[in-house]
Amino acid sequence: GAGVSQTPSNKVTEKGKYVELRCDPISGHTALYWYRQSLGQGPEFLIYFQGTGAADDSGLPNDRFFAVRPEGSVSTLKIQRTERGDSAVYLCASSLQSGGANVLTFGAGSRLTVL
Amino acid sequence: GESVGLHLPTLSVQEGDNSIINCAYSNSASDYFIWYKQESGKGPQFIIDIRSNMDKRQGQRVTVLLNKTVKHLSLQIAATQPGDSAVYFCADRSLGTALIFGKGTTLSVSS
C-alpha cells in the first residue's frame, strides 16, 4: 500500500481482556517495528522484525505482550490480560531494511484505552 | 537502555522567524540520527536524518547539525510557518538496535 496501515484506529476494552492490533506495512519493506506512545511522551520501542523473525524484542514490557509476523508482511501485536497501564497509542513503522540509514515510516497508530 | 532527550519541552516563535530545536543524546555508539515531526492524532513524520560521519545536512528549509564531541543534535527550521506547529522528536540508533526516541519539543508558531 501507499503507507503503513494500522487497525483498529481506536480500541476500548475492559481490564483483563485480550486485544489484537494489526499493522500492514509498506509493500516490500522487510523491517517492521512496534512502538508505544503514552500521552506527552516519545515513542517507546517494543519489538522489531526483520522478515518473519523478531530481531529484537527487548522492549516488550512483560510476557503479556507478544507480536507475530508469520509471512513477513502483516504483523499483529497481542496483549493478554490488559491492564489500565497498557492504555496508550501503539505505533507501527516499517522500513526497506533494518539498520543503517533506513528511514522508518510510521502509521497513524492504534489508540488503546483499557477501562 | 540509553535514551535521547530534548532540552526544552516547548518553543514558541513568530511566523517567519528561524527555529532551533535542540537534543542531547547519551549513547556514544550511536551512528545514525533522525528528526521526526508529529501532529496531533498522527504518527511521526520523517523530516531529516544524518549519519555520524557528517556534522551538517540540509533539506528544504531544515538543517540538522550534529556535534559528536558533546553529543548534541539540533534541528533548524528557516522561516517558520504555522504549519510547522507540532511536536518534534529526535531519535538515534546504534548498530543492530532500533530507533530510540526522546520526549519531544512542542513548537508553537503564531501569526
Side-chain angles (χ1 to χ4, degrees), chain B residues 7-98:
Chain B
H7 291 299
L8 292 175
T10 61
L11 177 65
S12 296
V13 301
Q14 292 285 324
E15 181 178 2
D17 287 351
N18 296 331
S19 302
I20 300 176
I21 301 173
N22 294 305
C23 176
Y25 65 95
S26 57
N27 186 357
S28 57
S30 293
D31 61 1
Y32 176 72
F33 306 85
I34 190 167
W35 283 97
Y36 280 91
K37 170 187 180 182
Q38 188 174 28
E39 296 172 301
S40 182
K42 298 182 179 180
Q45 177 186 2
F46 168 78
I47 302 174
I48 192 168
D49 60 357
I50 188 168
R51 294 190 131 178
S52 60
N53 60 352
M54 303 172 68
D55 53 21
K56 180 178 180 179
R57 191 172 187 206
Q58 289 185 292
Q60 187 177 11
R61 281 202 308 120
V62 294
T63 300
V64 55
L65 299 177
L66 174 62
N67 185 330
K68 295 182 289 295
T69 303
V70 295
K71 298 195 189 73
H72 184 268
L73 191 69
S74 70
L75 175 70
Q76 300 178 1
I77 305 173
T80 314
Q81 303 167 0
D84 295 327
S85 295
V87 181
Y88 289 79
F89 295 98
C90 66
D92 75 327
R93 177 166 60 202
S94 58
L95 185 64
T97 70

Side-chain angles (χ1 to χ4, degrees), chain A residues 35 37 42-43 45 100-102 104 107, chain B residues 36 38 43 89 93 98-99 101-102:
Chain A
Y35 285 80
Q37 188 173 28
F45 169 71
N102 286 282
L104 273 62
Chain B
Y36 280 91
Q38 188 174 28
F89 295 98
R93 177 166 60 202
L99 279 177
F101 284 79

